[in-house]
Amino acid sequence: MTEEKPQLKAFLEAISVLQWVLSFLFLGVGCIVLMVYLMFTSLWPLPTLYFIWLINDWKTPERGGRGTTFVRKWKVWEQFREYFPVKLVKTADLNPNKNYIFGSHPHGIMCVGAFACFSTESCGFAEMFPGVKSTLVILAGLFKIPLLREYLMCAGLCPVSKPSLVHLLSKSGKGNAVVIVVGGAAESLASSPGINRVVMKQRKGFVRTALEHGADLVPVYSFGENELFQQVIFSEDSLGRRLQGLFKNIMGFAPCLFVGERVALLPYRKPVTTVVGSPISVPKCVTPTEKQVDHYHGLYMEALSKLFHEHKVSCGLSESHKLEII
C-alpha cells in the first residue's frame, strides 16, 4: 500500500502543480491582456518601451534564448515532481562530445514527463548525463507573446523552429540534447487513459534535421503520461473534431476538453516514468535524400517500439499492452 503523505506536503505539491497548469492554460492570455490594459493607463510608457525593446530582441529565442536557466532550478519543481511522482530512467550513456535529438512520446495533454525531466533540474538529468544539456523546444508562436517569452526563456525553453534547431545543433558547441515532442497537437487529441498511441509515421522533419547536423536520435517514452487526465475524444467525422482541427491549423495547437481530479484542473496522481533510450548513430548529410530520411525514420520507430516493450511491465503496464504508431 502507498503511504499517505502528510497533509502539508500534499498541499504544497498540489499548489506547485496547480500553478503550472494555470500557467500552461492562461499565462499567455494573461500577459496579452495585461500589456493591452497598461497601454490605456498612466503606465503606458512601460509597455511602449517594452515593445520597442522587443523589436530588437525578436530573434533571441531562435538564438538559444537568454543563456540563463534559473527558473528550471526553482525548488517548486521538486514538489511538482513528487506530486505524481515523475521519474527519469537512463538506459545508456550519452557522449558529451556529440549532439542529440530526443524524440519525446507521447504528448499527453500537457507533456508533464518531458517538462519535468528536460526543462527542470528536479529529475536529475544533469547528474545522469554529465556534460549533456537538455533543451525542450515548444510551439514557436508562444515566443511571440510579450512577457510570456521572457518566462519561457528563463526556463531554458526554445522554439521548435528551423532557425532555432540549427542554432542549438550547430552554433552551441557539443553536448546539446534538443527535446522535440514529435506527435505535437495531433497526438494530444488522442491522449486518453489506457491508450498508447503515438503520431509518427509521417513525422520525418526531426530525422531530416538530425541528418543535416549529424545529431544522434534518441527515443524517449513517458509511461503514464496519458493517465493524467480524462479527455473528451470526438469521433473523426464529428463537428467537435472538425473544430479542433480547424483551431489546430490556425493556431498550431489543439484545444482539448479534459478533466482531472480536484477543481477539475489538477491531474490525477499517477506515476510518470520517462525512459531515455539508447542513441541511434546518425551520419552528417548536408542534403539528405528521401531514402536516407526514410531509413533512419524506420530505425527510430523500431527503437521506440523496442523501448516501449522492454520497459512497459516495469513501468506499470501489462504484457498485453501494445504501442500503436499512426
Side-chain angles (χ1 to χ4, degrees), residues 86 104 110-118 123 222 225 228 272 274:
V86 181
S104 181
M110 296 186 184
C111 305
V112 168
F115 175 79
C117 293
F118 306 122
C123 295
S222 291
E225 185 73 48
L228 303 181
V272 177
T274 299

Side-chain angles (χ1 to χ4, degrees), residues 156-170:
L157 297 164
C158 287
V160 61
S161 64
K162 187 70 173 181
S164 175
L165 297 179
V166 168
H167 182 92
L168 292 169
L169 294 171
S170 65

Side-chain angles (χ1 to χ4, degrees), residues 24 106-109 111 139 160 181-191 199 203 231 241 244-245 247-256 326:
F24 186 97
H107 184 288
I109 299 295
C111 305
L139 192 65
V160 61
V181 185
V182 177
E187 198 169 86
S188 68
L189 294 176
S191 174
V199 178
R203 302 293 173 106
Q231 181 182 187
R241 178 52 67 94
Q244 285 179 319
F247 192 94
K248 177 172 71 70
N249 292 336
I250 296 173
M251 302 299 295
F253 65 95
C256 301
I326 59 176

Side-chain angles (χ1 to χ4, degrees), residues 86 138 172 264 308:
V86 181
I138 61 173
S172 297
F308 176 85

Side-chain angles (χ1 to χ4, degrees), residues 2-231:
T2 303
E3 184 179 348
E4 186 174 348
K5 296 181 180 180
Q7 189 172 4
L8 177 59
K9 179 172 176 56
F11 173 76
L12 291 175
E13 291 174 0
I15 290 296
S16 299
V17 173
L18 182 61
Q19 63 83 24
W20 180 77
V21 171
L22 293 177
S23 297
F24 186 97
L25 295 175
F26 305 119
L27 186 57
V29 174
C31 289
I32 294 172
V33 171
L34 175 62
M35 296 301 282
V36 172
Y37 169 75
L38 289 176
M39 287 296 294
F40 294 93
T41 69
S42 59
L43 297 176
W44 66 265
L46 293 179
T48 301
L49 290 172
Y50 175 81
F51 284 123
I52 293 173
W53 171 79
L54 185 60
I55 294 172
N56 294 321
D57 193 63
W58 193 249
K59 296 293 185 181
T60 296
E62 294 182 340
R63 296 169 181 163
R66 294 274 178 252
T68 176
T69 56
F70 77 93
V71 171
R72 65 188 293 160
K73 297 178 181 178
W74 283 352
K75 292 296 183 181
V76 68
W77 305 129
E78 295 179 7
Q79 301 297 330
F80 176 91
R81 176 199 65 208
E82 291 300 316
Y83 174 89
F84 301 94
V86 181
K87 180 182 178 183
L88 179 63
V89 175
K90 170 184 175 180
T91 63
D93 292 331
L94 296 181
N95 185 346
N97 294 316
K98 300 201 71 173
N99 286 331
Y100 303 90
I101 291 181
F102 285 19
S104 181
H105 315 266
H107 184 288
I109 299 295
M110 296 186 184
C111 305
V112 168
F115 175 79
C117 293
F118 306 122
S119 191
T120 79
E121 300 297 338
S122 64
C123 295
F125 181 89
E127 289 74 26
M128 284 190 189
F129 302 100
V132 179
K133 175 190 175 185
S134 63
T135 301
L136 180 62
V137 290
I138 61 173
L139 192 65
L142 296 175
F143 292 88
K144 294 177 171 60
I145 299 176
L147 299 182
L148 176 64
R149 68 194 293 275
E150 318 305 334
Y151 177 67
L152 296 176
M153 283 191 284
C154 286
L157 297 164
C158 287
V160 61
S161 64
K162 187 70 173 181
S164 175
L165 297 179
V166 168
H167 182 92
L168 292 169
L169 294 171
S170 65
K171 300 178 181 179
S172 297
K174 299 297 182 181
N176 296 295
V178 179
V179 185
I180 302 175
V181 185
V182 177
E187 198 169 86
S188 68
L189 294 176
S191 174
S192 185
I195 293 178
N196 300 288
R197 182 182 297 134
V198 297
V199 178
M200 263 293 302
K201 287 185 177 179
Q202 302 303 318
R203 302 293 173 106
K204 300 179 182 180
F206 74 106
V207 178
R208 185 179 300 278
T209 300
L211 282 163
E212 289 172 348
H213 299 280
D216 287 358
L217 291 166
V218 180
V220 177
Y221 198 90
S222 291
F223 293 89
E225 185 73 48
N226 287 344
E227 311 299 317
L228 303 181
F229 292 98
Q230 296 280 352
Q231 181 182 187

